Amino acid sequence: LYSVTVGGNGINGYVAFNRILPGETGTIKWVISNTGNTPGTFTISATCTFDENGSNEPEAAIPSNNTGGNGDLDEYVKVTLQRGVGTDQTSAEAALTYILGTAETPVAMGGLEAALDAQSLTLGASGGNDTIIYVLTWSLPDHELINVVQSDTAEIDITFSLVQ
C-alpha cells in the first residue's frame, strides 16, 4: 500500500510520498494562471525532504549504500518535470517541454529541488502568456536492491510566487 498525497492551499503545492512499491508510477500537474492585468516575474521555491524513518533499514547491510545521508527515495524514485507556457491551459499543455529528465531518461528525485528553484520567468497578464503548467511524473522502477526504500518517505513543499 502506498500513498502520494497532493495537497496545498490552492496556491502552493505539497506532495508526500509514503509506502511506494516497485513498479508504481504517477503524474502530478500544477496549473498556474495570472488572472490579473499586471504581468510579473514568476518564481518557485521548493524544499524536498527525504526521511529514512529509522524503522526498517535493510540498506544497512549493503556496503557503501546511503552515503549521502538522505533517505533512499531521493535516489531510487525517478522523475521528469515538464513546463509549458501559454495563453490558456490548452496552449500551455501543447507547449510542454522537459526541464528535468526526459521520458526516455528520467532522473533521480534528488535533483528536483534545484530544478524547481531555478524557475524564474515572466508571466504575462490575462490574455497574454499568462498560464504555466508543470507536470511531474514519478516512478519507482523494479530494482534488485529496491528493499532499501522500505519505510522511507519523501515530501515536496512548493511555493509559487508572482512579483508584479
Side-chain angles (χ1 to χ4, degrees), residues 5-65:
T5 305
V6 181
N9 59 10
I11 299 171
N12 299 308
Y14 175 81
V15 181
F17 295 83
N18 187 17
R19 298 181 186 156
I20 301 172
L21 297 175
E24 293 180 327
T25 64
T27 301
I28 301 164
K29 182 190 300 185
W30 293 278
V31 179
I32 301 102
S33 295
N34 180 1
T35 58
N37 50 9
T38 304
T41 301
F42 173 81
T43 59
I44 296 176
S45 174
T47 302
C48 294
T49 307
F50 304 96
D51 189 6
E52 292 271 2
N53 290 322
S55 60
N56 186 1
E57 294 301 332
E59 62 262 38
I62 301 171
S64 74
N65 187 53

Side-chain angles (χ1 to χ4, degrees), residues 147-163:
N147 283 338
V148 300
V149 301
Q150 288 183 27
S151 78
D152 296 350
T153 63
E155 296 179 353
I156 308 166
D157 192 3
I158 304 171
T159 301
F160 303 106
S161 300
L162 180 64
V163 177

Side-chain angles (χ1 to χ4, degrees), residues 30-150:
W30 293 278
V31 179
I32 301 102
S33 295
N34 180 1
T35 58
N37 50 9
T38 304
T41 301
F42 173 81
T43 59
I44 296 176
S45 174
T47 302
C48 294
T49 307
F50 304 96
D51 189 6
E52 292 271 2
N53 290 322
S55 60
N56 186 1
E57 294 301 332
E59 62 262 38
I62 301 171
S64 74
N65 187 53
N66 198 32
T67 57
N70 291 329
D72 295 305
L73 290 179
D74 61 336
E75 178 183 353
Y76 287 104
V77 172
K78 301 302 181 189
V79 299
T80 65
L81 183 63
Q82 294 175 283
R83 178 186 69 205
V85 180
T87 57
D88 56 25
Q89 184 170 345
T90 301
S91 64
E93 286 177 345
L96 284 170
T97 59
Y98 287 96
I99 58 173
L100 181 67
T102 66
E104 296 80 25
T105 312
V107 299
M109 185 185 231
L112 185 59
E113 183 175 327
L116 289 167
D117 284 346
Q119 297 302 297
S120 178
L121 42 106
T122 300
L123 187 59
S126 184
N129 273 344
D130 58 3
T131 301
I132 299 175
I133 295 179
Y134 287 92
V135 178
L136 172 68
T137 58
W138 62 270
S139 66
L140 182 59
D142 289 324
H143 189 278
E144 63 190 48
L145 301 177
I146 209 61
N147 283 338
V148 300
V149 301
Q150 288 183 27

